[in-house]
Amino acid sequence: MVRLESWKALLEEIMRNSKNEWCKDFDACPLDDILLNIDGYSSSRSKLPWMKYDDWAFKAALASMSDVVVSGGRPYALLYSVGVTDENILKSISIGMGKASDYLKSSILKGDTNKSTNDSWIDVVSIGKINNKRYVNRKGAKPGDYLIQIGYLGYGTLSQMLLENRIKIDNINDKLLRKTIIPDFQIDAWVPIYKYGTSSSDNSDGWVSTIYNIIDSSKVKVVLDAIEIDPLLKDLMNNEDALNSWEDYNFAVTTSEENLDDFLEECTRLNIRCFVVGKIEEGYGLYYNNNRIENFGWTW
């Protein structure tokens, strides 16, 4: 985990050079009645040691569609391009993408294959449908709004602990280990977000970084009151550990006090895990237990 100031400055420069700076406050970019997103990964940097290549492809698709769902879009379609070092990897990736298509209730429109010399890679484009051209970005949070955490935290922290040998993989049950591959992804969360969200961002780079996406775009202060960890993880980590958790693909969403009850009722109706975890105030920064939490997260 590293501080993000220099990385964000580089991203802003890229957006300016591509003449697409208007989209910098979006997790997924709107185009008429659809939302679009693209994510890419190299296997050497993103495939966890306990993953198979079909697992890796599955998570890549889920990661890309996560930005669409958190923006209030209904999953609709996927496209992907891969570079592989051998044919067996290609077959495994195609199986994983097929599973992701079923899981996300999305069609695969097109695939592209390439030969790679040293490292396999994948790029996934996700497409979502939006109703009435209504979508949510990172910019709409206002003082008085509530912060909602959708889905559990902690799977990325568990992965980090395993990678650093702080926990032995043989001591983790298969059900829990599987959640580092298929996170607590709340597919139907686009419904309450679309109806009642004022701002949102998905957790790919770390929970603190995710909340700061909203803070930086909306120019607000967030007072965090709670951190909701998967109950299966509570003997392995504390709340402060979970603040660092990355690639959980859960969501930070704000909603107004007026719409809070309706948001939560929609979550209950759709069986979505939603937790009120904080409040938006005047000012700037993230505060937890009366302490200022600086922005940090995963950058690659």
Side-chain angles (χ1 to χ4, degrees):
M1 308 291 285
V2 297
R3 298 199 180 278
L4 295 177
E5 286 82 357
S6 60
W7 179 244
K8 286 191 172 182
L10 175 60
L11 286 177
E12 289 173 1
E13 181 66 20
I14 291 170
M15 296 299 282
R16 282 194 295 271
N17 290 339
S18 64
K19 303 185 186 303
N20 235 4
E21 191 175 1
W22 66 273
C23 210
K24 68 183 177 68
D25 291 315
F26 295 75
D27 275 37
C29 286
L31 183 64
D32 198 23
D33 63 345
I34 63 173
L35 287 166
L36 295 167
N37 183 58
I38 184 170
D39 278 324
Y41 304 90
S42 62
S43 62
S44 63
R45 297 289 295 180
S46 61
K47 179 177 169 292
L48 297 169
W50 50 91
M51 279 181 171
K52 299 178 295 183
Y53 275 96
D54 61 307
D55 295 328
W56 177 63
F58 183 100
K59 192 170 183 181
L62 187 149
S64 183
M65 191 62 78
S66 175
D67 292 279
V68 167
V69 171
V70 80
S71 302
R74 173 175 59 84
Y76 182 69
L78 298 162
L79 303 88
Y80 69 103
S81 180
V82 297
V84 296
T85 54
D86 69 64
E87 190 173 310
N88 290 328
I89 292 175
L90 177 59
K91 291 177 180 177
S92 184
I93 287 173
S94 67
I95 290 170
M97 288 300 299
K99 291 178 180 177
S101 173
D102 291 340
Y103 183 81
L104 294 168
K105 303 181 180 70
S106 301
S107 302
I108 294 180
L109 299 182
K110 192 171 178 58
D112 173 61
T113 59
N114 304 271
K115 179 70 174 177
S116 181
T117 304
N118 298 316
D119 193 8
S120 295
W121 53 264
I122 186 168
D123 294 322
V124 182
V125 173
S126 54
I127 302 171
K129 289 280 192 176
I130 49 179
N131 295 334
N132 302 318
K133 299 184 180 179
R134 163 87 165 97
Y135 52 83
V136 181
N137 61 28
R138 304 170 178 179
K139 202 172 183 178
K142 295 178 174 58
D145 284 359
Y146 286 86
L147 178 68
I148 295 175
Q149 176 186 323
I150 300 181
Y152 287 132
L153 274 168
Y155 310 117
T157 297
L158 175 61
S159 296
Q160 193 71 34
M161 296 169 80
L162 290 167
L163 289 169
E164 295 173 355
N165 292 316
R166 287 186 278 158
I167 300 176
K168 298 299 181 184
I169 197 166
D170 292 342
N171 295 332
I172 303 298
N173 68 59
D174 289 342
K175 180 180 179 181
L176 187 53
L177 188 65
R178 192 70 186 160
K179 289 189 176 184
T180 65
I181 300 169
I182 306 174
D184 184 43
F185 189 61
Q186 307 293 288
I187 298 173
D188 293 327
W190 68 271
V191 178
I193 294 171
Y194 151 73
K195 288 183 175 179
Y196 306 115
T198 55
S199 70
S200 62
S201 190
D202 83 317
N203 178 12
S204 55
D205 300 328
W207 190 233
V208 169
S209 174
T210 300
I211 297 173
Y212 263 100
N213 286 339
I214 293 173
I215 290 169
D216 288 335
S217 292
S218 299
K219 311 301 182 190
V220 293
K221 173 182 176 181
V222 172
V223 178
L224 192 63
D225 300 319
I227 298 167
E228 296 293 336
I229 304 173
D230 188 319
L232 294 174
L233 291 168
K234 289 192 174 180
D235 290 336
L236 300 174
M237 65 188 68
N238 57 36
N239 285 353
E240 286 71 18
D241 294 328
L243 278 173
N244 300 340
S245 195
W246 43 265
E247 292 190 356
D248 287 337
Y249 301 109
N250 61 339
F251 307 134
V253 184
T254 61
T255 192
S256 66
E257 183 174 12
E258 177 186 7
N259 289 327
L260 179 63
D261 289 342
D262 290 331
F263 194 112
L264 296 177
E265 286 176 11
E266 197 74 29
C267 290
T268 300
R269 182 180 72 84
L270 295 169
N271 196 29
I272 302 168
R273 295 188 183 93
C274 297
F275 312 97
V276 180
V277 295
K279 195 79 181 287
I280 311 302
E281 297 182 357
E282 296 274 3
Y284 177 83
L286 173 63
Y287 289 80
Y288 178 63
N289 285 340
N290 295 318
N291 295 316
R292 167 78 175 259
I293 307 295
E294 297 300 327
N295 190 2
F296 58 90
W298 193 261
T299 60
W300 287 90

